[in-house]
Amino acid sequence: MKIITLDFETYYDKQYGLKKLTTEEYIRHELFETIGVSVKIDDGATVWYSGSHDEIKHSLSKYDWDNSFVLAHNMRFDGAILSWHYDIHPKGLFDTMGMAQILYGLTQSVSLANLSTLFGVGTKGTEVGDAIGKHLADFTEQELADYASYCINDVELTYDLFLRLKDRMTATEMRLIDLTLKMFTEPKITINKGLLIRHLSEVRRNKEELIASIDADKEMLMSNPKFAELLEANGVSPPMKVSPITKKQAYAFAKTDEEFIELLEHENPIVQALVAARLGNKSTIEETRTENFINIANRGALPVPLKYAGAMVTHRWSGSEKINLQNLPRSSPLRTAMCAPKGMKIVVADLSNIELRLAYWFANSEKKIEAIRNKIDLYKQSATEITGVPYDEVDKDLRFTFKVINLSGIYGVGPPKMQSILKSGGVVKELDEVKGMVYTFRDQNPDLTNAWDDAGTMIESVFDRSNYSMGRNDCITTYFGDGNLDGMLKPNGMVLGLPNLRKIQNDDGRDAWVYDKKLGRGTGTEFIHPAKNFQRCIQSLARDIIGDQLIDVAKRYDVVLQVHDELVMLCSENEVDECVKYVEKCMTTAPAWCYDLPLGCEIGVGDNYGEAK
């Protein structure tokens, strides 16, 4: 199978460019113009094409796209141009940016310039800066020749990077990159624009009332301790980080702090508004996201912008392009506005409490695994064991309380934070009562606490560079690279890195483990402790399971969206039953490395995402 490496150069100016616009908006804009494109087949010579749209399309038509894998650095951009402007749909899509993201994204910029320097394959040119504001007709012959050389060099760098990265990748991960990119480059979801226009009007009406309802002046918003109190009053534990100056724990309230930014999409609108006000935003996330949806609807179907391995710590997908489809509130009309094309249905399949099941499986908790196989409700069972309320008499509210206790308790969440999580869900309890539930839960699940201890030993083993395995079937093992690549090897061959792992002294004088993590343009510090390491492994393994299932489902149906533990597919109206049956089989079949993990799923069908979910 041939690999065609390519790179497009396109018109841009100070206002019309990827620094101002999303990829979708830029490529679909009326100002879009291809200046030229460079193409390379396998390790052959790279060829440059320039000219009118029709001339470039004719030049590209000579290649066997149907039987080739196409490679680019940032294939979302180049692949969308191929698809949307030239009606070219390759067999498969490769992306060195995505490959580098899962391998090195924890600490490194995955820009072509940085990676080329890091791997010593060459130097990215700067001629693109000279092309600002120039249409094809504005280039002199020499300027166009220089631009061609620049573009050809980018293709050569990309291909050389691919040769260096490919041996660290697996066929499964390369397929996931391909499927993720095609959700964007081959858009199929339609948007109900009328519904969104009505929703936007309502959001704007409610916004002022919401902000006015927040009893907080500027001093409270900008004072770290007082702002932390505001968050806690609304059931949110303030995110923390290691201060780069004092080397001690500090509040993570900056626009570069990921956990803080995620609160813009918190299910509590008051929390959203507080964080927006702190950051100086005039709009809430729901308002801007709805506006963006409407603008996309004006241009066509919805390209789904997922960033492969964007959550660097766990390798999960993340959202992008200013709409973040990974965090749409369940009640948001945006879900209902995402519709199946005419004659099709949307099918949503959600793995049932996968992290809970996986945590007990990983910890070798045979009692819990057997309960899952027997379809016992673990939340109700836990409520019965801790409160004494008979299993059949556990009501909805008590079940919810112990759902929180279980889902947070498996990761070692302590009483104060557990109290905050319960409060954010509308359950208010005294701290002493929460303490009793948390510590009883731990006492009744010794396999879990032992697994946390193992995760702590794993941290020490990575630091000491000594061999160690943990989890059922020893599914996680130590891995040692060049120091920056040290970490934990998963069954799928990918590594959860712990770069520059070291101990620091915490505020209370005790030692704490930290490792390096990319933060903005620099490097920050990430805390890691036994239970948190256990959580990282479980969430990443859950990602790998849904990844395998995505590939299986995609063999027969178009997977148009992936959100945490769910897959969203399209099928024709006359094959819904067949689709549901096939998807259920895929979603309840565990990968070979966890063949004895009992899985379950819930499947819904509808004309739109909200209805199916």
Side-chain angles (χ1 to χ4, degrees):
M1 190 69 66
K2 287 184 171 60
I3 294 178
I4 301 176
T5 310
L6 60 73
D7 181 49
F8 280 98
E9 300 301 338
T10 59
Y11 170 79
Y12 77 105
D13 58 37
K14 290 183 179 179
Q15 297 303 315
Y16 168 67
L18 293 176
K19 290 184 178 180
K20 296 279 187 179
L21 309 176
T22 65
T23 302
E24 178 272 336
E25 187 177 7
Y26 175 83
I27 295 175
R28 282 175 162 174
H29 201 283
E30 60 183 10
L31 290 178
F32 181 85
E33 178 190 17
T34 298
I35 305 300
V37 58
S38 290
V39 183
K40 176 188 182 74
I41 299 180
D42 292 331
D43 59 355
T46 303
V47 181
W48 161 264
Y49 301 106
S50 185
S52 67
H53 174 273
D54 289 342
E55 288 171 332
I56 290 179
K57 186 170 184 178
H58 176 73
S59 297
L60 293 175
S61 68
K62 68 180 70 173
Y63 295 94
D64 184 12
W65 304 99
D66 292 341
N67 296 298
S68 299
F69 286 92
V70 179
L71 168 68
H73 192 80
N74 189 8
M75 179 55 85
R76 184 191 295 176
F77 177 79
D78 297 282
I81 294 173
L82 271 182
S83 175
W84 305 349
H85 284 279
Y86 298 102
D87 196 26
I88 292 174
H89 311 279
K91 181 178 180 64
L93 303 176
F94 289 164
D95 181 27
T96 45
M97 180 180 286
M99 296 165 71
Q101 180 68 32
I102 196 169
L103 296 174
Y104 297 95
L106 194 60
T107 57
Q108 291 291 330
S109 162
V110 293
S111 70
L112 183 60
N114 182 66
L115 292 171
S116 297
T117 300
L118 181 68
F119 286 94
V121 298
T123 303
K124 182 174 170 61
T126 59
E127 287 85 350
V128 68
D130 300 328
I132 185 169
K134 287 186 178 181
H135 292 281
L136 177 60
D138 300 325
F139 283 81
T140 66
E141 185 176 340
Q142 185 57 52
E143 287 172 338
L144 192 59
D146 291 341
Y147 209 18
S149 297
Y150 164 84
C151 186
I152 289 171
N153 182 56
D154 274 4
V155 166
E156 297 292 342
L157 294 175
T158 299
Y159 184 71
D160 287 346
L161 275 176
F162 175 76
L163 296 180
R164 284 160 176 75
L165 296 173
K166 67 181 181 67
D167 290 340
R168 290 284 316 284
M169 298 294 292
T170 65
T172 294
E173 293 301 318
M174 294 299 285
R175 178 61 172 147
L176 289 177
I177 290 175
D178 172 53
L179 290 170
T180 302
L181 288 167
K182 285 177 179 173
M183 292 179 195
F184 185 83
T185 63
E186 307 289 343
K188 294 179 175 65
I189 296 174
T190 62
I191 300 176
N192 185 334
K193 180 179 172 182
L195 184 155
L196 291 177
I197 291 174
R198 294 190 295 273
H199 177 55
L200 180 60
S201 178
E202 183 178 350
V203 167
R204 286 173 172 168
R205 279 198 310 271
N206 293 338
K207 180 182 66 174
E208 295 302 326
E209 297 176 9
L210 179 62
I211 293 177
S213 71
I214 299 173
D215 185 21
D217 55 22
K218 186 174 182 180
E219 180 185 354
M220 291 187 72
L221 288 172
M222 302 315 295
S223 164
N224 283 354
K226 291 180 179 179
F227 188 76
E229 291 177 8
L230 285 173
L231 290 179
E232 290 172 342
N234 286 281
V236 174
S237 296
M240 305 295 290
K241 64 182 178 183
V242 177
S243 168
I245 298 175
T246 67
K247 306 301 181 184
K248 295 182 178 181
Q249 277 198 310
Y251 291 115
F253 291 160
K255 63 182 179 181
T256 54
D257 293 322
E258 292 181 14
E259 192 175 351
F260 184 56
I261 297 304
E262 288 174 0
L263 293 177
L264 283 169
E265 302 176 49
H266 193 275
E267 59 185 15
N268 185 341
I270 294 178
V271 174
Q272 292 181 26
L274 280 171
V275 176
R278 165 83 181 205
L279 294 171
N281 296 348
K282 295 181 180 179
S283 302
T284 61
I285 190 70
E286 185 73 2
E287 181 180 3
T288 56
R289 191 151 48 186
T290 302
E291 291 172 340
N292 290 333
F293 261 73
I294 292 172
N295 290 334
I296 292 170
N298 290 332
R299 295 184 287 266
L302 174 64
V304 171
L306 295 184
K307 189 174 182 181
Y308 164 81
M312 300 171 290
V313 171
T314 61
H315 300 163
R316 286 177 163 182
W317 288 263
S318 64
S320 62
E321 298 268 315
K322 300 181 181 179
I323 57 174
N324 196 359
L325 298 178
Q326 292 285 297
N327 285 301
L328 290 182
R330 288 183 178 270
S331 60
S332 174
L334 294 175
R335 287 176 176 256
T336 307
M338 297 169 61
C339 303
K342 186 177 180 179
M344 306 289 284
K345 291 286 187 180
I346 285 182
V347 179
V348 179
D350 191 356
L351 282 173
S352 302
N353 41 55
I354 179 60
E355 289 185 34
L356 189 72
R357 294 169 182 245
L358 190 53
Y360 286 128
W361 175 89
F362 189 91
N364 284 300
S365 181
E366 300 296 344
K367 178 182 175 182
K368 294 294 186 180
I369 295 171
E370 188 60 27
I372 293 169
R373 288 199 182 99
N374 292 329
K375 302 188 184 304
I376 292 174
D377 186 321
L378 294 185
Y379 308 142
K380 292 175 67 174
Q381 183 187 63
S382 183
T384 296
E385 292 173 345
I386 294 177
T387 68
V389 174
Y391 181 89
D392 293 335
E393 295 178 19
V394 175
D395 61 19
K396 182 179 178 181
D397 291 339
L398 186 58
R399 182 183 184 277
F400 174 79
T401 296
F402 280 89
K403 177 179 180 179
V404 174
I405 295 294
N406 274 262
L407 294 181
S408 299
I410 57 174
Y411 296 139
V413 170
K417 187 171 182 179
M418 188 74 78
Q419 183 187 37
S420 293
I421 297 171
L422 285 167
K423 184 177 180 180
S424 68
V427 178
V428 178
K429 291 187 176 294
E430 294 297 326
L431 184 58
D432 285 345
E433 183 180 1
V434 177
K435 283 181 180 178
M437 291 189 291
V438 168
Y439 293 132
T440 302
F441 175 83
R442 293 182 184 178
D443 289 342
Q444 293 182 348
N445 290 282
D447 294 325
L448 272 179
T449 56
N450 289 338
W452 301 340
D453 291 340
D454 284 346
T457 303
M458 173 62 72
I459 296 172
E460 295 173 356
S461 299
V462 172
F463 179 76
D464 294 336
R465 295 179 70 83
S466 58
N467 294 327
Y468 190 73
S469 299
M470 68 173 182
R472 195 177 184 93
N473 304 330
D474 292 329
C475 62
I476 299 285
T477 61
T478 49
Y479 178 88
F480 307 111
D482 60 4
N484 288 326
L485 296 179
D486 291 353
M488 301 172 289
L489 182 67
K490 299 188 295 176
N492 72 343
M494 297 292 103
V495 176
L496 294 173
L498 289 166
N500 195 21
L501 181 65
R502 61 200 183 277
K503 283 184 180 179
I504 65 170
Q505 196 170 69
N506 218 332
D507 291 343
D508 57 9
R510 292 186 297 178
D511 288 339
W513 290 105
V514 295
Y515 64 93
D516 287 345
K517 176 184 172 185
K518 190 174 180 297
L519 185 65
R521 295 186 177 180
T523 301
T525 305
E526 183 84 356
F527 275 102
I528 190 78
H529 54 74
K532 189 172 183 179
N533 193 36
F534 174 81
Q535 177 181 14
R536 185 186 184 192
C537 291
I538 296 303
Q539 290 183 337
S540 189
L541 291 174
R543 173 267 186 200
D544 297 342
I545 290 173
I546 196 74
D548 282 353
Q549 294 169 340
L550 192 165
I551 291 173
D552 287 341
V553 171
K555 291 174 182 177
R556 288 181 56 177
Y557 299 98
D558 286 326
V559 181
V560 294
L561 176 62
Q562 188 282 333
V563 180
H564 301 307
D565 303 324
E566 74 179 29
L567 300 179
V568 182
M569 289 72 62
L570 288 176
C571 74
S572 64
E573 292 178 336
N574 59 7
E575 61 174 334
V576 169
D577 291 343
E578 181 182 348
C579 176
V580 168
K581 190 178 298 184
Y582 177 76
V583 170
E584 182 177 23
K585 179 180 179 182
C586 292
M587 300 287 282
T588 55
T589 301
W593 60 268
C594 59
Y595 68 93
D596 53 346
L597 169 65
L599 296 177
C601 73
E602 298 174 1
I603 300 178
V605 180
D607 293 323
N608 59 68
Y609 182 30
E611 182 180 292
K613 181 61 178 174

